[in-house]
Amino acid sequence: MERKKYLWEKMTAFPISCKIYYNCEMDGALIISDLRATVEDKLILNGVDMHVRAGEIHAVMGPNGSGKSTLAYALMGHPSYRISSQKSLIKIGKKNIVSLSSEERAKEGLFLAFQSPIAIPGVHVMNLLRVAYQEIHEQGSSLVTKSSGVHNPVFGKLSTNGEVDLLAFRKTVKEYAQMLRIDDAFLSRGIHDGFSGGEKKKMEMLQALVLAPKYAIFDEIDTGLDVDALRVVASGIDRLVKNGTGVIIITHYQRILKYLRPDRVHILVNGKIVKTGKASLAKEIESHGYKHYTT
Amino acid sequence: MDTNTTLPNDSYKYGFHKPEHYVFKSKRGLDGGVVAQISGYKDEPEWMRKFRLKSLGIFQSKPLPSWGGNLHDIHFDDIYYYLRPTDRKVTSWDELPPDIKDTYDKIGIPEAEKKFLSGVSAQYESEVVYKSVQSMLTKKGVVFLDMDSGLREYPELVKQYFATVIPPLDNKFAALNSAAWSGGSFVYVPKGVKIDLPLQAYFRINAANMGQFERTLIIADEGSFVHYVEGCTAPIYSTDSLHSAVVEIIVKKGARVRYTTIQNWSTNVYNLVTKRARVEEEGIMEWVDGNLGSKLTMKYPSVYLVGRKARGEILSIAYAGPHQHQDAGGKAIHAASETTSQIISKSISRGGGRTSYRGLVQIQEGAKKAKSKVVCDALLLDESSRSDTYPTMQVDEQDAQLGHEATVSKIGDEQLFYLESRGIGKAKAESMIVNGFIEPIVKELPLEYAVEMNRLIQLQMEGSVG
């Protein structure tokens, strides 16, 4: 353990692929290796490499059209985004999930907070959360606490023999909703049906907190949020990370990074990560733009 | 005339041939003899016998509707128009088709109810419940009987209202029902009486519950309230291929009636129903209508708003699976000022199924400041399914306010992906989307019906049924 920790500190200090210093597979890290993806036969991702570990925050920044959203969708397994190389890998620990459906990926602990989530009228938020939670954590709390490594004290209590205690579940959802300043009334509305931009983002955040994934991808969670909502969403991500979830934040701006300290910042240009650095890299982008990396 | 009061051979094996047990079965087809025979068997008053015979003439002279679904495969001469309930029903659980049994098991309905639903059991085990409900109703002066008993016990009341809302001339199938009717409910709610407990047809255990030609008459006197619930979500196996009911409702001044139907006939059945309510001043009529089963359903619950400020609401859900056609909708006739109506229709087509919305809103001359809103939404689950909308509006007043919205949507790939990204499998995701789609109407159903409805949709989506 001590050695791991030492190496880990070393790793965060130097943004070098963890393959060299540390065996990420053993630690259940999210490993993205040589990810190439096409949309309508057009190559968008051109070999992306990333290693995200539990409890880390990685920011992926890049100019318009650099492939940021494609990265999010390809990771989650959207059928329109085809992985175009045999060598491409997406692994959670030792398990390669690249050929799994999005449903199976979710069950392996992956989560995507959508940039503009679609409305599903009549599918109530609370109902959706309950069904999704049951599907993902079918075997109850042991799965949540042990195999995922995500520490979630509230959900640890939820399940005794695989069944989710509905009352306890509702209570937990409401606590998270309160934390995110989501009015209770939204929980019994159809998901995203008639929600404002800000409400949608908060609702995506709420799902991440409740479902307690191993790895969560936030696709432009910060766009269209006012300062107050931004702060609330950032505190949600902070909580998620403290619970042990590894987080990828895809963003145009440094805005949300004022409230969260990323362990790594990646610059994505033309479907490739052209530079990886520390939090300071985001500030550099803020003042100089992407010019340096695009030309 | 063939007075065909024979003993069907196949009833021997079920022990129905006891000498004191009068067994009656008309011959195939419908003619004056059969109609007179039905009336005679029931020992009806003369006016009813004449009414039946007159209706028969209308039935015979009217052509089949040229619109709606395909009715040409109905062989009217091949049908038994009157059977005692025990002859009609299968008499043992084992005789039910396996898919029906399977569905019952999957819905998880209790054994006793299964038998009742399948028609196996003439006696429903909730006899105790039935008796307590009846005594509560009797105390309040409410009449709740099967239509045959209603005619026997309240001949004057029946004569006063029978066929006043839906005369036999209305359409071919209303005429057919008028000639051959049997079973159905008779309800009278006295002035100012409000019944909190929904009246359910299955409380009438003493009578034929699922006749081919049910006739229901509900009279809600001034300021009263009643909620009548008919049918159930579990598929009802019927050996009869033609069901043609008539439901007439009279909503008097300031009264409110809600009539909820969930029908899930087996897919060999033609379900051709005429339902209409006459609503007087400040009265409210609400139709909640769900159609899941049958081969072809043609059903357009109607409100005739004849008194000032009368209000009508029609909520309907139709689900059409493979080889099914649901032609449903509603009619709102505004014949008085300040009347309001709302028609909300939701339909789902899957596996080549076809749904049609057919609606009429009519604002008659003199119906000042009338308001009407029509919303019809269709959901298609695959490329081979079909949905059509046939809305008609006739407006003869300048100041009417009318709204009409119609949408046709498919289950979107993005909606599916969203739910799948939350760990929910495709079949479950589809059923969630469908249940979400019909939610605005399902939430109006009594809870146990809503739960069953959701479960049934889920079963259909998972392809386990039908």
Side-chain angles (χ1 to χ4, degrees):
Chain A
M1 270 320 267
E2 278 309 300
R3 183 175 154 73
K4 267 190 190 175
K5 198 174 176 219
Y6 165 74
L7 286 170
W8 175 233
E9 275 163 3
K10 234 181 148 172
M11 260 186 57
T12 43
F14 304 98
I16 302 167
S17 165
C18 66
K19 268 184 202 161
I20 300 168
Y21 284 103
Y22 183 72
N23 188 340
C24 294
E25 279 187 5
M26 296 299 287
D27 203 36
L30 172 65
I31 301 163
I32 303 161
S33 172
D34 198 19
L35 185 63
R36 289 162 199 269
T38 58
V39 183
E40 290 167 357
D41 294 330
K42 195 178 165 209
L43 188 69
I44 307 288
L45 293 184
N46 197 8
V48 172
D49 293 283
M50 277 176 78
H51 299 84
V52 184
R53 307 200 335 165
E56 280 186 354
I57 299 177
H58 286 230
V60 175
M61 302 181 76
N64 289 330
S66 58
K68 297 192 300 297
S69 282
T70 300
L71 176 61
Y73 279 117
L75 287 175
M76 201 65 234
H78 192 291
S80 306
Y81 297 76
R82 293 182 196 280
I83 306 296
S84 55
S85 165
Q86 299 274 340
K87 287 187 213 149
S88 296
L89 290 178
I90 305 168
K91 290 168 93 174
I92 294 179
K94 284 181 176 170
K95 178 136 191 179
N96 188 4
I97 62 169
V98 82
S99 56
L100 298 187
S101 68
S102 47
E103 172 202 350
E104 291 163 327
R105 291 180 196 205
K107 285 178 174 157
E108 291 297 328
L110 207 58
F111 178 89
L112 170 61
F114 287 72
Q115 184 185 343
S116 349
I118 193 155
I120 312 179
V123 175
H124 296 176
V125 173
M126 187 62 90
N127 186 36
L128 169 65
L129 285 170
R130 189 177 53 77
V131 175
Y133 187 84
Q134 275 171 342
E135 292 291 328
I136 292 171
H137 303 292
E138 248 169 344
Q139 278 133 49
S141 59
S142 61
L143 190 78
V144 187
T145 47
K146 282 182 203 156
S147 69
S148 75
V150 175
H151 174 64
N152 189 332
V154 192
F155 283 100
K157 292 185 294 192
L158 275 183
S159 171
T160 44
N161 49 9
E163 279 289 305
V164 176
D165 176 346
L166 201 60
L167 280 177
F169 183 77
R170 293 179 75 93
K171 192 164 164 272
T172 307
V173 172
K174 284 186 179 181
E175 278 167 14
Y176 279 132
Q178 212 163 18
M179 175 189 152
L180 297 171
R181 297 190 202 150
I182 295 169
D183 193 290
D184 264 11
F186 280 93
L187 302 178
S188 46
R189 283 176 56 180
I191 182 83
H192 299 311
D193 190 15
F195 290 15
S196 73
E199 287 155 359
K200 285 181 182 173
K201 303 286 190 182
K202 284 182 180 180
M203 208 47 84
E204 294 293 288
M205 187 66 240
L206 175 68
Q207 291 180 63
L209 283 166
V210 172
L211 299 178
K214 292 180 201 171
Y215 294 96
I217 306 143
F218 290 90
D219 188 9
E220 296 196 21
I221 191 83
D222 48 350
T223 42
L225 286 185
D226 61 33
V227 181
D228 294 328
L230 185 67
R231 198 175 286 142
V232 163
V233 166
S235 75
I237 294 178
D238 187 54
R239 176 70 169 274
L240 200 62
V241 168
K242 286 199 172 105
N243 288 348
T245 299
V247 165
I248 297 175
I249 296 173
I250 292 170
T251 180
H252 274 290
Y253 312 103
Q254 197 227 337
R255 232 157 65 98
I256 195 167
L257 304 178
K258 283 177 185 156
Y259 303 97
L260 294 165
R261 196 181 157 75
D263 297 285
R264 290 281 197 291
V265 174
H266 307 272
I267 309 298
L268 185 70
V269 176
N270 291 330
K272 244 178 135 58
I273 288 174
V274 294
K275 188 173 170 78
T276 295
K278 290 190 284 180
S280 56
L281 182 57
K283 291 200 184 86
E284 187 202 309
I285 295 292
E286 188 79 354
S287 36
H288 297 103
Y290 296 105
K291 284 196 297 281
H292 182 64
Y293 302 100
T294 50
T295 49
Chain B
M1 186 175 91
D2 182 2
T3 47
N4 189 353
T5 317
T6 59
L7 200 61
N9 281 335
D10 63 352
S11 66
Y12 276 100
K13 63 181 174 188
Y14 307 126
F16 289 146
H17 71 298
K18 294 175 198 156
E20 73 278 13
H21 201 146
Y22 187 60
V23 176
F24 175 84
K25 188 174 185 177
S26 65
K27 63 171 187 179
R28 286 176 199 269
L30 195 63
D31 58 23
V34 172
V35 168
Q37 201 183 8
I38 293 170
S39 191
Y41 171 68
K42 292 161 174 274
D43 201 17
E44 289 176 345
E46 180 63 14
W47 70 266
M48 183 57 82
R49 197 181 67 90
K50 282 188 176 156
F51 170 81
R52 284 182 186 271
L53 287 168
K54 188 185 87 186
S55 304
L56 175 69
I58 296 166
F59 166 66
Q60 286 164 338
S61 65
K62 271 193 183 284
L64 279 172
S66 55
W67 45 273
N70 176 14
L71 298 166
H72 296 285
D73 296 332
I74 304 175
H75 302 291
F76 290 97
D77 293 334
D78 227 19
I79 291 169
Y80 289 109
Y81 285 84
Y82 182 73
L83 299 100
R84 280 186 338 123
T86 42
D87 295 335
R88 181 179 306 120
K89 288 167 181 169
V90 290
T91 44
S92 88
W93 180 247
D94 298 331
E95 282 177 51
L96 282 175
D99 58 321
I100 299 271
K101 281 196 277 195
D102 195 42
T103 305
Y104 285 1
D105 288 337
K106 283 186 173 130
I107 293 176
I109 55 174
E111 197 71 15
E113 204 176 332
K114 269 185 205 169
K115 288 187 173 160
F116 172 77
L117 294 172
S118 60
V120 169
S121 171
Q123 288 288 315
Y124 186 52
E125 285 173 19
S126 70
E127 192 155 5
V128 184
V129 179
Y130 168 69
K131 279 188 175 145
S132 73
V133 169
Q134 272 298 2
S135 90
M136 180 274 284
L137 295 176
T138 311
K139 266 182 215 151
K140 291 186 166 183
V142 176
V143 177
F144 180 32
L145 295 167
D146 65 277
M147 195 66 226
D148 294 286
S149 307
L151 178 61
R152 251 192 326 273
E153 295 177 32
Y154 299 89
E156 290 312 309
L157 205 52
V158 171
K159 194 176 176 185
Q160 189 185 342
Y161 292 104
F162 197 90
T164 56
V165 186
I166 305 171
L169 272 169
D170 192 81
N171 66 74
K172 188 174 179 77
F173 293 98
L176 172 61
N177 176 284
S178 297
W181 72 266
S182 216
S185 291
F186 175 66
V187 178
Y188 172 77
V189 189
K191 271 185 194 172
V193 171
K194 294 186 163 72
I195 312 167
D196 302 325
L197 186 79
L199 294 185
Q200 313 219 1
Y202 68 68
F203 285 143
R204 291 187 297 99
I205 54 165
N206 56 334
N209 278 299
M210 291 159 237
Q212 276 175 281
F213 306 106
E214 284 187 329
R215 184 90 191 191
T216 290
L217 174 61
I218 297 175
I219 302 152
D221 218 328
E222 291 181 10
S224 66
F225 168 72
V226 64
H227 181 188
Y228 183 90
V229 181
E230 167 202 56
C232 50
T233 47
I236 293 178
Y237 178 67
S238 172
T239 49
D240 309 315
S241 59
L242 174 61
H243 286 251
S244 188
V246 164
V247 178
E248 295 179 284
I249 297 179
I250 290 127
V251 184
K252 298 245 179 174
K253 186 178 175 182
R256 180 177 156 218
V257 175
R258 170 172 281 215
Y259 191 106
T260 299
T261 310
I262 300 295
Q263 252 163 13
N264 195 9
W265 295 110
S266 45
T267 50
N268 59 325
V269 168
Y270 288 86
N271 188 32
L272 313 167
V273 177
T274 312
K275 284 177 157 178
R276 191 174 301 159
R278 195 181 77 219
V279 192
E280 298 177 3
E281 193 175 333
E282 293 181 350
I284 300 172
M285 177 65 212
E286 298 156 328
W287 294 105
V288 182
D289 207 79
N291 300 295
L292 294 166
S294 86
K295 179 180 190 172
L296 168 66
T297 293
M298 286 172 68
K299 195 202 284 185
Y300 324 95
S302 310
V303 285
Y304 281 56
L305 307 169
V306 298
R308 197 181 65 92
K309 285 195 172 174
R311 173 163 181 80
E313 276 189 32
I314 302 156
L315 306 176
S316 77
I317 304 172
Y319 171 92
H323 313 297
Q324 285 183 283
H325 182 185
Q326 305 281 7
D327 198 275
K331 283 195 261 183
I333 311 295
H334 294 251
S337 59
E338 296 175 75
T339 45
T340 53
S341 68
Q342 176 165 287
I343 302 174
I344 299 177
S345 157
K346 298 247 178 192
S347 70
I348 301 146
S349 319
R350 174 185 156 264
R354 179 177 174 196
T355 57
S356 315
Y357 166 80
R358 195 177 300 277
L360 169 68
V361 174
Q362 190 184 72
I363 313 274
Q364 296 181 350
E365 209 180 315
K368 303 265 184 209
K369 293 184 185 165
K371 284 183 197 169
S372 178
K373 186 183 172 193
V374 178
V375 180
C376 46
D377 298 327
L379 186 64
L380 300 174
L381 299 191
D382 45 51
E383 296 293 329
S384 63
S385 300
R386 174 175 170 187
S387 179
D388 307 283
T389 306
Y390 308 94
T392 307
M393 295 210 173
Q394 297 165 356
V395 183
D396 291 323
E397 276 297 339
Q398 295 289 330
D399 59 0
Q401 284 183 35
L402 292 163
H404 181 93
E405 300 164 23
T407 65
V408 179
S409 48
K410 289 182 185 162
I411 284 196
D413 290 339
E414 293 310 311
Q415 287 181 330
L416 277 178
F417 176 65
Y418 188 86
L419 293 179
E420 286 174 83
S421 80
R422 299 303 186 241
I424 299 164
K426 188 171 185 233
K428 195 160 201 169
E430 281 187 342
S431 81
M432 282 175 82
I433 294 169
V434 171
N435 276 322
F437 173 74
I438 58 174
E439 186 256 6
I441 293 174
V442 169
K443 76 179 180 200
E444 297 295 329
L445 298 175
L447 184 66
E448 67 271 27
Y449 284 75
V451 170
E452 272 187 25
M453 184 90 171
N454 285 342
R455 236 181 310 171
L456 199 76
I457 292 282
Q458 196 167 333
L459 284 176
Q460 302 266 23
M461 292 302 116
E462 285 164 6
S464 330
V465 174

